[in-house]
């Protein structure tokens, strides 16, 4: 299972942002004039700062969704979860991050599906202590491992 540790964010900080016509994945153009602005998470990434949290991902059950061990998930608790969303769920006293599968709701259960073929879905029945704690709206990756 992939666990997640919840971290409350401080959304008062502004980060430097490199502005250009776009960050190109090909060869850079030396002629382009790059401007600096700031990245304001409240303005640019976070819709609801009062209900948004960070979570540090632990494990590899979501690697096929591009969510890896050590990534940071940005979780909005005010977003209504829908079938197929990546959610942070609280299941039997543990947090986990998985796809929400509501297809079997009429049969009396739902599933939390991993994005790793080596893991099994988590079957959630009426006897389970379960809550969709929030919906993952962004992930942040660290590409440089020290």
């Amino acid at each position: 299972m992939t666990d997640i540790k919840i971290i409350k964010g401080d959304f008062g900080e502004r980060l430097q942002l490199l502005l250009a016509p776009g960050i190109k994945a090909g060869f850079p153009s030396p002629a382009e004039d790059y401007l600096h602005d700031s990245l304001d998470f409240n303005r640019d990434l976070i819709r609801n700062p009062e209900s948004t949290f960070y979570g540090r991902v632990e494990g590899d059950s979501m690697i096929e969704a591009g969510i890896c061990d050590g990534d940071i998930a940005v979780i909005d608790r005010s977003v209504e979860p829908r079938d197929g969303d990546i959610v942070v769920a609280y299941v039997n006293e543990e947090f986990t991050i998985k796809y929400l599968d509501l297809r079997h709701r009429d049969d009396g259960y739902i599933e939390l599906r991993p994005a790793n073929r080596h893991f099994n879905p988590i079957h959630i029945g009426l006897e389970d202590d379960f809550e969709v704690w929030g919906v993952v709206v962004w992930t942040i990756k660290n590409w440089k491992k020290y």
Side-chain angles (χ1 to χ4, degrees), residues 77-114:
R77 296 198 70 197
S78 69
V79 174
E80 184 71 30
R82 291 190 235 159
D83 184 53
D85 281 347
I86 296 175
V87 300
V88 171
Y90 188 72
V91 183
N92 300 324
E93 302 181 11
E94 290 185 35
F95 285 104
T96 189
I97 181 170
K98 300 284 185 285
Y99 283 111
L100 180 63
D101 183 347
L102 301 175
R103 293 177 295 170
H104 304 286
R105 190 174 21 195
D106 292 341
D107 299 323
Y109 70 96
I110 63 170
E111 290 184 327
L112 297 174
R113 297 198 161 274

Side-chain angles (χ1 to χ4, degrees), residues 33-63:
D33 185 26
Y34 294 100
L35 304 174
H36 291 279
D37 192 5
S38 61
L39 176 64
D40 180 346
F41 272 28
N42 289 327
R43 179 191 72 212
D44 300 327
L45 301 178
I46 309 301
R47 281 186 156 165
N48 305 300
E50 63 283 346
S51 61
T52 300
F53 294 80
Y54 295 116
R56 186 166 307 276
V57 176
E58 296 179 344
D60 59 358
S61 73
M62 293 300 288
I63 58 174

